[in-house]
Amino acid sequence: MAIIEKLTTGPAAQGRTVQTGGSALGKAVAYLAGLIAAAAFALPFFWMVSTSLKVPGDVFISPPTWIPWPLQWQTYPEAWTFIPFFSYTINTLQIAIPSIIGILFSCTLTAYGFARIRAWGRDVLFFICLSTMMIPWAVTMVPVFVIFKNLGWTGTYLPLIVPNFLGSAFYIFLLRQFFLTIPMELSDAARVDGCSELGIFARIILPLSKPVLATVTLFEFNRVWSDYLAPLIFLTRQEHFTIALGLTYFLDRDRPLWNLAMAGNTMAILPVIIVFVLAQRAFIEGITLTGIKG
Amino acid sequence: MTPGAKRFLTMLAFISPWILGFLGFFVYPLLLSLYYSFTEYNLLQPPKFVGLTNYVNLTEDSHYLNAVGNTLYFVVFSVPLGVLTAFIIAFLLNQQLRLRVLLRMIFYIPIVVPISATAILWMWIFNSNWGLLNNLLALIGIQGPSWLGSPTWSKPSLVIMQLWLVGGSVLIFLAALQDVPRALYDAAMVDGANAVRRVWHVTIPMVTPAILFSLLTGLIAAFQTFANAWIMTGGGPIRSTEFYVLYLYENGFRFFRMGYASSMAWILFGAVVVVTVILFRTSARWVYYGGEG
Amino acid sequence: MRTQEQRLSRRTFLKVTGMGVTIAAAAACAPAAAPQAGDDETVSGQPAAEQIDLDYWYIWGGEGQVAGCDLFTEHNPHITMHPLTAGGVILDKTLAAFAAGDPPDLVDLILCAPLAGRGALIAVDDYIESSSVVDLENYQSAHLEAVNWAGERWGLPANEGLGWLGLARNRNLVQEAGLDEDALPTDFDELHAWAGALEEIDDDGNVQVLGMDIRGILTYPDCWSVVMGKRYFDGETFEYNFDSDEFAEALQISKSFYDRVGAEKIAEFKAAQEGQPIPSPSAAGKVGLFTGGSWTPGSLALNAREDLEFGFSFVPDGAGEGKSPFFAGTHTAMILNGSENVDAAWQFLEFTSTDEYNRRVYDVSGFIMGTKSFIESLDMSSLYPGLDFYTSGLSEGTRVWGIASDPNWYLAWDEFLALEEEVGFGTTDPGEGLQILQEKLTTELAKVLDA
């Protein structure tokens, strides 16, 4: 048990943010590099917000004006009512929340099986799992559609939700990589103590994986939020549409409204930002597991 | 029951969600698309078996071979650069910086903002006359090219754009960096290792599982890259950004050649499987799993 | 929508589109209940006693069609329409649904031949003949070309009643250059002269103003067909005519405009316009002359700098006959083979030809639909400036053609567009490229005819 306590007790047990750079100069360089990079990465967002606050005729002026004046705040309420923003948001949540639950449920279990149980055939099965990512969706889409049709699911949210309860190779792989880094001694010791495999999974591995679980949650939320093709293909009623589909209505060929489109986009990403901040809290809390003493 | 059999059954129990999903939603589509690849299939009429015709025709399709070349270029440059960039950013963000969460969000946000919404911004960044990029290059005395207009520079442009989209890998590296035991750094410090050596001998080995993940998923995604070219360049100029899956998709859903598209998909599948096997075989030498049992 | 309105009324010309109706439509379904499996019994095979549900997918123009569909249901209470705007990937969605055995009843695409040629549509000639509502004379004959395949009609031009090929000019730049707007270019030499007078290249070789953007709607092979007076595809003899002097000439003309400023500059002006409704450099006032369709005046009115004015005229005749070429593209509604309610679907199709339907769609969205009688009832001069060109062009044009009834239209478009660019860059010889294109399309056509 000594090793378990050494690895898992106390705030100093795990490095969270660490000072690997040493000198003040190094730190200054790091800051500067970080700020320049951050400015570059903030550009798309800044441009989107800036465009949302322009009058239509200024959208295409080049070189662009970065700070329009006066700011056209009313684009936001206009965008909110131009498409049924609220009900599309609710629709998307109705897909996103069960999808996240499904992913967290199915992928953690599967990844645990692939990472922590040394059994015959495991690596082959894992490779088959990975290979499901390697065939372009374009050619499997139609057969998948046939399955959903035979199940009577077309026109409902089920095709967008249920598969998430049955694993997704990307997340399984991601979680497996993280589960593999957790010292095996933890599991062995727990087994000696009579803990079941499910108990080890739930009480040791999952609590130690908070950052990656938060990452998976964020990724899945973002994926559902921005998914365009799958909802478009599988939904048949406009009133069931998701926010990503609704956003395309601003740029109708006959009447493209760029400033409203950007206001819509800006509003649409707010939920993702909220989930991001929440997910980062799991990062900050880090791994303060107090061990499995006993 | 032998312990081995018991372990096998336990594993099966844990991976059963995926097995159900695989049997329910993958086996049939995979086999069907394999069958399509030996047919002439326009999605509207029943497929017509043509044997290996599609595969033979691919070898003579200059647009296909061009798409293969474009895709390999994109994979070779965008994947390693992406992983490297993501690691560096994650490493910087893992320092005790102020406004850490805000900074992390900034690096993630380009993924959240749809490319369709920022396409015009990218055009301005890459514009040869008044673009941001060429203005910066002019500061150091370089006359920048016509990025998106030139068949030579269009692919590098998309590689550069791709670097904006590393926020996901950054988060994965950040999550991995959380797991590096502090004790290891302390031990390295005691041994007198300097900062660079600590990174090389402690940080990097400990995040190799995340590096493998980023590399492999990056490769798989890059082989299937689609949206950027679809929205930004439409495959041009002169097919210089016509990537594999772009060409595949057009064949399947625009040109009524789903059989042909399926044969392309299976060749891609084979190629990616080979690359993955090689990567996994070699990974045993450089990936360190603390918990490998 | 208040500011939008203010801005529009400030510009005095603009019809405020029916955004209120979108909100009403939204309110009607908000908050949308989660759809459950089994909700759609009528669609999935167990039709309820009398009630009929029809799925109708179209590409653009959302709320107008919703209102038109509602109007139809007012007249036919037992038929509920389920309209859906699918945007630029409508073909993909339709193909996937059809292949999976779950097609909509009606779909709206720019032409019928690709689906009709592959057995996916219901021919409507008999319906048209026995209809007391549909009057073919009331459609532009060029628009009707879009519904043809193999001697039969497979739909009606339901969703667009104007034309698609105009030469747009930035009037500010034209006036600055001292060009005479009463003597617009009538052949490509004159167009070159105009382009030369308009283009502005700085000392570093940067193109500040592009004189003539040759692509735009001219990437459609159909547009070159009418400009050169040679149809790229003959729907009666099932022959492609790409391998011809006329198309070689068309590519040379196109190339000559690439050569003015260099192919890379032309390509750069195109980047990031893919899938976008208007060429943004044109809206930015960076292009003197460009080509566009009936959507261009409205798009420019909404998005271009406020002080910019645009004029529209015929693209020059490339055949040297002094004619005014005009391309009459449209959107056609068609009934899919597999619809369980073909008669009801036809009833809707029929309804789209009425002035009442056209009027409702227009009142709500400003979308100008298919029929002559309805268009005559509109006062174009009160709409977007320049839009009247796209109406009058249909009657004033002296060579007005519709879309080729080509089952490989999408392939022809994509390959021709790429070829045009390759010739522009000088990497492909026009003759050789056209010959390859011709062979490729002929091979694909054989598959269609065999099946």
Side-chain angles (χ1 to χ4, degrees), chain A residues 149 152-156 236-237 240, chain C residues 35-49 51-55 82 102 105 340-341:
Chain A
K149 183 188 182 280
W153 290 1
T154 50
T156 76
T236 52
R237 293 284 187 269
H240 298 159
Chain C
Q36 299 298 325
D39 257 6
D40 304 331
E41 282 109 14
T42 45
V43 180
S44 58
Q46 307 129 20
Q51 192 58 36
I52 293 173
D53 288 82
L54 292 180
D55 283 297
H82 297 282
D102 198 20
D105 298 279
E340 286 165 14
N341 296 294

Side-chain angles (χ1 to χ4, degrees), chain C residues 51-91:
Chain C
Q51 192 58 36
I52 293 173
D53 288 82
L54 292 180
D55 283 297
Y56 174 37
W57 299 351
Y58 48 84
I59 178 165
W60 309 117
E63 63 269 35
Q65 268 88 344
V66 172
C69 287
D70 288 346
L71 183 65
F72 175 70
T73 300
E74 278 172 35
H75 287 284
N76 302 280
H78 67 294
I79 304 176
T80 309
M81 298 296 296
H82 297 282
L84 183 149
T85 304
V89 289
I90 184 164
L91 179 66

Side-chain angles (χ1 to χ4, degrees), chain C residues 214-215 224 249-259 420-421 423-424:
Chain C
I214 191 64
R215 292 140 321 119
W224 279 114
E249 169 81 19
L251 290 178
Q252 291 293 1
I253 290 172
S254 173
K255 179 176 168 50
S256 67
F257 285 93
Y258 275 79
D259 290 345
E420 197 182 296
E421 204 171 54
V423 170

Side-chain angles (χ1 to χ4, degrees), chain A residues 74 78 94 232 237-238 252, chain C residues 3 34 55 61 85 93 284 303:
Chain A
Q74 75 289 343
E78 283 174 20
Q94 287 184 36
L232 180 72
R237 293 284 187 269
Q238 199 149 300
D252 189 296
Chain C
T3 21
D55 283 297
T85 304
K93 179 169 171 66
N303 286 288

Side-chain angles (χ1 to χ4, degrees), chain C residues 370-448:
Chain C
T371 57
K372 285 183 193 168
S373 57
F374 173 67
I375 288 167
E376 277 158 18
S377 75
L378 292 178
D379 175 15
M380 288 290 165
S381 58
S382 68
L383 303 174
Y384 305 104
L387 188 62
D388 48 350
F389 167 77
Y390 286 94
T391 335
S392 58
L394 289 164
S395 49
E396 286 167 20
T398 47
R399 193 192 297 129
V400 184
W401 290 356
I403 199 163
S405 47
D406 175 9
N408 296 308
W409 187 87
Y410 297 96
L411 178 63
W413 176 30
D414 190 86
E415 295 270 321
F416 184 76
L417 168 66
L419 177 59
E420 197 182 296
E421 204 171 54
E422 284 166 22
V423 170
F425 271 82
T427 57
T428 303
D429 172 71
E432 279 171 32
L434 287 166
Q435 200 185 336
I436 294 168
L437 177 57
Q438 171 102 9
E439 281 165 19
K440 190 166 192 172
L441 287 166
T442 306
T443 309
E444 290 300 315
L445 183 66
K447 291 182 197 166
V448 174

Side-chain angles (χ1 to χ4, degrees), chain B residues 178-226:
Chain B
Q178 311 293 302
D179 284 351
V180 180
R182 179 84 195 222
L184 285 178
Y185 287 113
D186 295 342
M189 294 258 243
V190 171
D191 290 349
N194 65 22
V196 175
R197 290 179 62 89
R198 286 200 298 275
V199 170
W200 189 252
H201 291 290
V202 178
T203 314
I204 290 183
M206 292 304 286
V207 299
T208 45
I211 293 177
L212 177 66
F213 175 82
S214 295
L215 260 185
L216 190 53
T217 53
L219 273 172
I220 293 172
F223 272 112
Q224 299 186 36
T225 188
F226 178 80

